[in-house]
Amino acid sequence: MTRQHIKILIVDDEPNILMSLEFLMKKEGYRVFIARDGEEAFDIIRSEVPDVVLLDIMMPKVNGYEVCTFIKTSPMYQHIKVVFMSSKSREIDLQKGYELGADLYIPKPFSTRDMVSKVNALATSTL
Amino acid sequence: MSSLWIITLSLIYLLVLFGIANWAERRAVAHRSIVNNPYVYALSLAVYCTAWTFYGSVGRAAESGPDFLSVYIGPTFLIPLWWVIFRKIIRICKVQRITSIADFISARYGKNRALGGIVTLVCLLGIVPYISIQLKAITISFSILSGHQPLATQSFWSDQSFYIALALIIFTILFGTRKLEANERHEGLVAAIAFESLIKLFTFIAVGLFVTFGLFNGFTDIFSRAAEVPDLQKLFVLPQEQTGSWFWHCLLAAIAILFLPRQFQLTVVENTNENHLRKAQWLFPLYLLIINIFVLPIALSGKLIFGNDTIPSDTYLLALPLHFKQQGLAFLTYLGGFSAATSMIIVECTALTVMFTNNLLMPVLVGRPSWQKGLGSSGGSFVLNARRLFIGVIILLAYLYYKNVSDKYSLVSVGMVSFAAVAQFAPAALGGIFWKKANLVGAMGGILAGSTVWLYTLIIPSMVSNGFISTDFLTYGPAHISWLRPEALFGLESMDNLSHGVFWSLFFNLIFYVCGSLHFGQSALEHNQAALFVDIFKYDTSYERSVAWRGKALITDIVTLMSKFFGKTRAERALTLYARRNKLSLQTKYADPMLVNYAEKMLSGAIGAASARIVVASVAKEERITVDEVIDILKTSQELKTVNEELTRKSRELEALTHQLKQANDKLRVSEQQKDDFLSTVTHEIRTPLTSIRALSEIIHDNPDMELSQQQHFLTTIIKESDRLTRLVNQVLDLERYETGRYQLSKETFSIQTLISESINSIEQLAKEKEIIIKTSYQGSLGNIYSDYDRLMQVLINLLSNAIKFCPSQNGLIEVLAKVENGILLISVKDNGPGISPELQALIFDKFYQAESKHNRKAKGSGLGLAISKKIIELCKGDIQVQSTLGEGAVFTFQIPTMMS
């Protein structure tokens, strides 16, 4: 399996962040899907069953916590790796994220190199 | 009618009365009192109308015309003052458990035994003749109805009035002395009396109607026929020489009704609610009016029909129906008169016996320690038995008086002499509640002097006419001293006998009362009582605390004492209840002064104030208290009350303050929470563009080989995001300045129209891009405004760009309306967007409301625009609101004054 077979879903309501991450992940060779809010994310999770989800928390309609809970409590999807990325960066915010079952929590703003290497490591573990 | 029938029916009537009394008492026990009612109260006061009213008024009217009315007019004139006088007396009696007029006067003047005794004796002297005329009325009406004339000479064994007296004794004992009450209230008695008042009224009216409309053709007929008889013409007017005595008779009745033992019993002692007085104040005079309507018609009819027959005018009421063979009506009349007499006798005897035991008998007996020891626990039944015995004594005395004296007088004249006796209490009693300096010496002197003169001027003449004293005494005076003639004292001859007696007795009474009070001092207890009586409404709550009692009494002694009169269980229950209510301990050796005082009060109700004082003193070692100390105690208790009120006020203030503090705290917590939310939102809003900027710059940095166009796009985004960041920082700072009030408006005068058109200009491009039409409409000429141009423009632009943001992509329409009214500029901006739900309308002016409302599509912007606009409008002393219905767009409106001071 190559990275071509690994699906990454990026969920964020900020178009510019979405744009940067899409660029970065495509460059790494993953199959990239994007969603602008939680509802779009649900659709893609059901249709594509991604391997990794990069998930913003504060979004309109359905927020990141709900998406993460949906993934981690569903037998069909709970294998999906979830990476929270949020400007909520206090200790309790991180704790809450991990309690919901997230595999990684990356505070915003993040270093793109850091983000890429962490996602790569996580994605490799799914192989 | 046969005597047997009359006796049987009379007994049945008495049984009915007894049934009513029983029923009322059962209701009282069940706390469903029928007596606690202003109408029953007012009816019971009509005990004032005795047989003398019933039969005597007609007699008096037949002899001397409207003269009889003085007895009713006097009280009616004074009745407006009852609220002042009786409310005070009622309150005093309730607070001190006073149960009779003798007790009242004795209590006011230092709970003096002698004074209470004197008042009781005067009452006895005055009232026994009065009771005797009731006996006379019953006897006469009985004999007329039965047609059986009493024989001229007979032993009392064959005298029907003797048996009537015996029946009355039994009946009164059954009614008035059922049990010993600490408050001496008899609900059953009151109910029966009220019922009898109704019977009196109905029967009198029945005869009145029969005579006026049955025998004659109405009032006019009677009066016009009477006017034709020369003898009767004089009955229509008051004789010239009588106008002076009218004044005295009215005054006498007005005073007597206050202090007649039976009136005092029903008005004061049996009163359940002070406010009943208010209704009684007009119901009672109304009763008097109604019962007197037919007096003159009946009197005149009697005269017209019987002419100058031997039929006494006092009996017209019975003689008229009998003459026309109306047996039933005659019996009804008899029943009315019987009611009038029995109600008077029952209440009067009850009141007199209470006075007798509480003010004469008990003070003498309880003064002897040996008697108290021998009493054991039967004090209560001893008192009751004494009362029963005394009822017998009173009625027998009245019988004897009737047989020997009052048989020779008309009903009315005997009644008036009784009135004059009780009128002697007026100075001491009325002075006692309004004049603090009034004292024992004055009261005693006044009552003694007044009653002596009463005896001399009103009783001696009656004894002369009965042959007990030689007529020389009247004609020449004692030992031929002509200015001492009983009917022309000091040469005063122009008045009638009664007015003369009333005038001199009250004159001497007042002289002694005032001079004695001014010349002598008061004892400590008297001083205390004087203050309590005069300022009862000030002291009634603190009375128990303010009593001048400083002594040591063993609790066990107090309990034993109370048990003697109320029984062990009742005494213990009362004391325990009182102790619990006032947080006193009964486990101590010595009783708390308050408890001692309570015991005394309870006992006063049963055996009178003076006796209670003596028995309590017998178990308590009292230390002498000086007047100064009493005043101190009173002052302290008054001060305590003030301090207490002050404390209550303070604690109420403190409570309010705590509440305010709690509110402020809640507010602070909310604002703390808001500050937290604000900070986390600001952080989020700053980090988001920062994240984009950093990510995009790193990408450009790490990918020198990327496409130029993409690089350009990323760089433009970086610049835009930097702008966004700058704008956000500026807005946060702005908001902070507005919120803390550090921002100073820079005011200038400018055209409102310019403000609006400039604002629209600056967003025109945006609107054009979305093909939105902006309409403006101005009502009237807008003129200039003196305000902050830049800030108002900021608000308008914010509202306009919001409107643009939410307008639909097609057919977007924005309407701007402006008008000036009463110096207020109103501008509204309306869009045809999706509208705002009601719950969000409340939040929309909050900071970062967008961030909070995750379920709405997030529009571009910091979420601070409306918050800032609101602050600016507030700084301009204005007001901004939103109105919106979902699906129908939103209207933002603000008003600001055109001239800002």
Side-chain angles (χ1 to χ4, degrees):
Chain A
M1 285 252 279
T2 61
R3 282 186 183 166
Q4 256 309 308
H5 297 103
I6 296 175
K7 295 177 188 171
I8 290 185
L9 167 64
I10 308 163
V11 192
D12 203 312
D13 63 330
E14 268 303 311
N16 297 327
I17 295 174
L18 221 45
M19 183 170 77
S20 338
L21 286 169
E22 190 186 3
F23 180 91
L24 287 167
M25 294 304 142
K26 275 186 173 162
K27 194 168 161 261
E28 290 301 311
Y30 298 109
R31 274 187 73 185
V32 178
F33 301 89
I34 57 168
R36 281 184 208 85
D37 56 50
E39 274 183 6
E40 279 185 39
F42 283 145
D43 293 342
I44 297 170
I45 290 165
R46 286 198 190 94
S47 58
E48 302 293 340
V49 194
D51 301 288
V52 179
V53 178
L54 305 184
L55 192 56
D56 183 26
I57 293 174
M58 291 155 86
M59 288 182 298
K61 289 182 188 167
V62 179
N63 65 34
Y65 291 134
E66 293 165 75
V67 176
C68 179
T69 311
F70 167 73
I71 294 170
K72 291 299 179 186
T73 55
S74 150
M76 278 172 71
Y77 307 118
Q78 58 183 313
H79 65 278
I80 299 174
K81 305 287 179 197
V82 174
V83 180
F84 273 131
M85 39 178 204
S86 171
S87 57
K88 289 162 93 72
S89 53
R90 287 171 304 171
E91 196 53 46
I92 53 159
D93 297 326
L94 269 68
Q95 204 179 325
K96 182 174 178 188
Y98 286 120
E99 272 169 15
L100 288 174
D103 299 273
L104 213 54
Y105 195 116
I106 299 174
K108 284 176 179 173
F110 46 78
S111 143
T112 47
R113 290 165 214 162
D114 187 43
M115 170 68 90
V116 167
S117 66
K118 278 178 176 160
V119 171
N120 284 346
L122 202 63
T124 316
S125 73
T126 65
L127 289 174
Chain B
M1 256 178 123
S2 85
S3 305
L4 196 66
W5 261 112
I6 302 172
I7 291 168
T8 316
L9 289 174
S10 303
L11 283 178
I12 289 174
Y13 177 71
L14 289 179
L15 282 177
V16 168
L17 282 189
F18 208 66
I20 289 174
N22 253 327
W23 173 65
E25 269 168 21
R26 273 204 307 278
R27 298 263 307 205
V29 171
H31 295 290
R32 282 176 24 244
S33 171
I34 51 154
V35 170
N36 187 2
N37 170 320
Y39 298 97
V40 174
Y41 179 66
L43 276 178
S44 76
L45 297 190
V47 74
Y48 183 65
C49 301
T50 61
W52 153 27
T53 302
F54 206 77
Y55 297 117
S57 285
V58 174
R60 184 87 171 190
E63 304 309 324
S64 46
D67 181 40
F68 73 97
L69 281 173
S70 58
V71 180
Y72 310 101
I73 289 174
T76 306
F77 270 135
L78 200 74
I79 225 162
L81 285 180
W82 280 24
W83 184 247
V84 181
I85 297 171
F86 269 136
R87 195 168 73 103
K88 209 166 182 181
I89 295 179
I90 289 171
R91 184 71 67 88
I92 293 167
C93 290
K94 277 194 185 145
V95 169
Q96 301 221 343
R97 300 221 183 187
I98 288 168
T99 55
S100 68
I101 176 69
D103 223 10
F104 181 78
I105 293 176
S106 144
R108 162 61 179 84
Y109 298 100
K111 306 188 179 177
N112 187 275
R113 290 158 61 179
L115 188 58
I118 289 170
V119 173
T120 307
L121 279 176
V122 173
C123 278
L124 269 177
L125 278 178
I127 301 304
V128 165
Y130 201 172
I131 295 176
S132 79
I133 59 175
Q134 310 300 319
L135 266 177
K136 177 181 173 182
I138 296 178
T139 312
I140 291 176
S141 59
F142 183 85
S143 62
I144 289 179
L145 195 62
S146 63
H148 165 81
Q149 288 299 317
L151 299 168
T153 53
Q154 56 191 189
S155 72
F156 57 70
W157 299 118
S158 56
D159 177 14
Q160 49 189 235
S161 56
F162 176 71
Y163 293 101
I164 291 172
L166 284 185
L168 283 171
I169 289 170
I170 294 166
F171 191 62
T172 308
I173 285 174
L174 285 177
F175 256 106
T177 60
R178 289 148 68 93
K179 57 180 188 245
L180 191 64
E181 286 294 348
N183 57 14
E184 213 50 71
R185 288 190 42 228
H186 316 73
E187 297 226 340
L189 180 82
V190 177
I193 298 306
F195 176 75
E196 291 204 286
S197 294
L198 280 178
I199 297 290
K200 284 188 281 191
L201 191 62
F202 286 140
T203 51
F204 203 100
I205 290 174
V207 181
L209 291 173
F210 165 72
V211 169
T212 314
F213 298 100
L215 303 182
F216 292 85
N217 291 319
F219 292 107
T220 8
D221 185 32
I222 296 179
F223 283 105
S224 52
R225 285 213 222 169
E228 287 161 14
V229 183
D231 254 7
L232 298 186
Q233 279 167 8
K234 67 175 167 49
L235 299 183
F236 291 96
V237 285
L238 270 181
Q240 194 63 44
E241 68 273 13
Q242 269 190 28
T243 42
S245 56
W246 242 66
F247 165 77
W248 288 105
H249 293 189
C250 284
L251 180 76
L252 183 60
I255 296 173
I257 199 172
L258 302 176
F259 305 115
L260 278 169
R262 67 173 188 284
Q263 295 302 132
F264 195 88
Q265 178 77 27
L266 288 172
T267 319
V268 178
V269 183
E270 306 285 355
N271 175 284
T272 47
N273 183 337
E274 282 170 21
N275 288 319
H276 292 171
L277 259 183
R278 288 182 192 276
K279 259 213 178 80
Q281 271 180 307
W282 63 266
L283 276 174
F284 177 57
L286 185 67
Y287 185 100
L288 295 184
L289 178 72
I290 295 173
I291 207 168
N292 280 309
I293 284 178
F294 289 108
V295 170
L296 262 181
I298 294 172
L300 293 175
S301 310
K303 280 279 176 197
L304 285 170
I305 288 165
F306 299 124
N308 286 324
D309 266 359
T310 46
I311 292 173
S313 49
D314 270 353
T315 65
Y316 278 175
L317 212 55
L318 271 172
L320 280 168
L322 279 179
H323 186 71
F324 291 93
K325 308 278 179 245
Q326 299 288 330
Q327 294 286 342
L329 187 63
F331 179 72
L332 268 185
T333 314
Y334 160 79
L335 214 55
F338 188 65
S339 289
T342 49
S343 59
M344 183 276 180
I345 292 175
I346 292 166
V347 184
E348 207 79 86
C349 283
T350 308
L352 277 178
T353 46
V354 168
M355 278 193 232
F356 165 74
T357 48
N358 291 5
N359 295 288
L360 274 180
L361 183 67
M362 295 311 279
V364 175
L365 289 180
V366 297
R368 300 160 194 243
S370 58
W371 179 83
Q372 260 197 62
K373 279 198 194 81
L375 191 60
S377 60
S378 57
S381 57
F382 176 83
V383 174
L384 279 183
N385 285 330
R387 286 186 187 172
R388 288 175 186 138
L389 185 71
F390 193 61
I391 285 176
V393 172
I394 292 175
I395 297 182
L396 286 177
L397 275 177
Y399 168 74
L400 290 175
Y401 190 89
Y402 155 62
K403 289 313 284 182
N404 294 306
V405 187
S406 60
D407 214 7
K408 298 169 182 69
Y409 287 87
S410 77
L411 297 176
V412 171
S413 50
V414 177
M416 283 309 244
V417 171
S418 289
F419 273 23
V422 290
Q424 303 310 321
F425 306 142
L430 292 179
I433 59 172
F434 294 113
W435 188 29
K436 271 189 218 176
K437 259 193 82 69
N439 66 16
L440 178 65
V441 180
M444 189 99 86
I447 291 174
L448 279 176
S451 6
T452 310
V453 175
W454 168 78
L455 264 174
Y456 190 71
T457 55
L458 292 172
I459 298 299
I460 292 208
S462 77
M463 294 171 96
V464 170
S465 49
N466 275 295
F468 292 112
I469 298 171
S470 123
T471 40
D472 286 1
F473 196 88
L474 276 191
T475 333
Y476 305 110
H480 289 263
I481 306 170
S482 69
W483 57 268
L484 276 181
R485 279 173 298 159
E487 288 182 318
L489 212 53
F490 305 109
L492 188 72
E493 294 184 55
S494 59
M495 287 170 135
D496 71 295
N497 187 11
L498 182 67
S499 307
H500 170 268
V502 171
F503 170 75
W504 281 123
S505 61
L506 284 179
F507 177 79
F508 282 107
N509 188 329
L510 269 171
I511 294 275
F512 275 79
Y513 181 63
V514 173
C515 294
S517 295
L518 289 178
H519 195 263
F520 295 92
Q522 288 172 322
S523 75
L525 182 61
E526 207 185 337
H527 191 281
N528 192 7
Q529 289 290 84
L532 283 169
F533 271 51
V534 174
D535 295 326
I536 183 67
F537 294 112
K538 203 164 110 195
Y539 288 120
D540 61 350
T541 49
S542 59
Y543 165 66
E544 269 148 26
R545 279 162 233 281
S546 66
V547 164
W549 178 268
R550 203 177 57 188
K552 274 185 173 176
L554 294 170
I555 290 234
T556 46
D557 282 352
I558 295 290
V559 175
T560 319
L561 196 62
M562 295 269 291
S563 307
K564 275 183 189 167
F565 293 94
F566 300 109
K568 197 167 159 61
T569 15
R570 247 175 98 193
E572 278 176 353
R573 195 177 57 221
L575 286 173
T576 316
L577 263 175
Y578 182 80
R580 195 180 313 146
R581 206 168 48 237
N582 292 284
K583 301 189 174 58
L584 302 175
S585 170
L586 287 178
Q587 306 310 317
T588 50
K589 190 173 179 205
Y590 290 104
D592 188 281
M594 269 168 77
L595 194 75
V596 178
N597 194 57
Y598 174 69
E600 186 182 335
K601 200 169 94 173
M602 284 280 290
L603 288 168
S604 316
I607 58 173
S611 324
R613 169 115 293 225
I614 296 164
V615 285
V616 170
S618 70
V619 298
K621 286 189 185 56
E622 188 179 7
E623 294 163 34
R624 276 246 166 270
I625 304 182
T626 67
V627 174
D628 289 341
E629 282 174 295
V630 174
I631 295 168
D632 272 353
I633 292 169
L634 278 177
K635 265 194 196 148
T636 320
S637 74
Q638 210 37 39
E639 273 165 20
L640 265 175
K641 210 178 149 205
T642 321
V643 168
N644 201 16
E645 273 161 12
E646 182 77 357
L647 269 174
T648 317
R649 199 174 54 76
K650 282 264 166 62
S651 87
R652 223 175 275 136
E653 274 172 14
L654 206 63
E655 224 166 77
L657 218 59
T658 317
H659 185 66
Q660 277 174 17
L661 206 64
K662 202 170 160 287
Q663 275 186 330
N665 206 15
D666 286 349
K667 228 171 164 179
L668 206 66
R669 205 175 303 136
V670 170
S671 80
E672 196 73 6
Q673 179 66 35
Q674 280 174 342
K675 210 167 128 194
D676 260 14
D677 290 350
F678 179 68
L679 266 178
S680 87
T681 319
V682 167
T683 318
H684 177 259
E685 292 297 322
I686 289 171
R687 278 180 180 158
T688 306
L690 262 181
T691 310
S692 304
I693 291 168
R694 180 167 183 186
L696 292 168
S697 342
E698 281 183 6
I699 291 170
I700 293 168
H701 181 267
D702 293 344
N703 299 287
D705 53 337
M706 69 191 294
E707 275 176 45
L708 197 66
S709 64
Q710 197 169 27
Q711 200 176 356
Q712 277 298 322
H713 179 55
F714 282 14
L715 283 170
T716 315
T717 310
I718 292 171
I719 293 165
K720 271 190 189 163
E721 290 291 281
S722 309
D723 277 351
R724 179 177 162 192
L725 206 52
T726 316
R727 214 166 45 236
L728 180 74
V729 171
N730 285 341
Q731 283 194 331
V732 170
L733 288 177
D734 268 3
L735 190 64
E736 199 266 348
R737 280 195 303 164
Y738 297 140
E739 278 192 336
T740 53
R742 251 179 292 165
Y743 179 81
Q744 291 288 316
L745 292 174
S746 62
K747 282 171 269 188
E748 56 186 315
T749 305
F750 52 89
S751 149
I752 295 170
Q753 199 150 350
T754 312
L755 170 77
I756 298 171
S757 51
E758 281 298 310
S759 307
I760 292 174
N761 276 346
S762 61
I763 49 96
E764 219 164 16
Q765 194 54 40
L766 262 170
K768 264 186 189 154
E769 280 169 21
K770 279 187 81 179
E771 294 175 347
I772 292 167
I773 299 166
I774 300 180
K775 276 191 196 167
T776 52
S777 69
Y778 307 137
Q779 288 178 10
S781 69
L782 296 175
N784 290 340
I785 184 170
Y786 179 72
S787 198
D788 189 321
Y789 181 81
D790 291 331
R791 296 284 79 80
L792 285 182
M793 193 154 147
Q794 189 183 344
V795 172
L796 258 179
I797 289 174
N798 179 253
L799 294 182
L800 287 165
S801 25
N802 278 346
I804 291 170
K805 223 183 289 175
F806 289 104
C807 268
S809 42
Q810 271 158 7
N811 301 326
L813 175 69
I814 294 172
E815 288 167 272
V816 179
L817 177 117
K819 63 175 174 185
V820 176
E821 252 177 31
N822 306 325
I824 304 283
L825 165 65
L826 179 145
I827 297 179
S828 68
V829 178
K830 183 181 175 194
D831 65 56
N832 59 347
I836 305 159
S837 67
E839 57 267 29
L840 286 181
Q841 285 176 24
L843 297 169
I844 202 164
F845 293 102
D846 287 354
K847 291 168 280 193
F848 299 116
Y849 124 83
Q850 288 182 310
E852 297 291 323
S853 58
K854 298 197 175 77
H855 297 286
N856 284 289
R857 209 193 73 78
K858 188 172 174 178
K860 286 221 179 314
S862 63
L864 288 174
L866 280 176
I868 290 173
S869 298
K870 186 171 157 71
K871 286 289 160 208
I872 290 172
I873 295 299
E874 279 169 4
L875 279 176
C876 293
K877 311 252 182 287
D879 191 19
I880 185 166
Q881 322 90 20
V882 62
Q883 286 163 316
S884 174
T885 316
L886 275 178
E888 287 174 30
V891 192
F892 285 85
T893 310
F894 68 82
Q895 297 105 315
I896 50 168
T898 53
M899 287 301 296
M900 271 185 67
S901 50

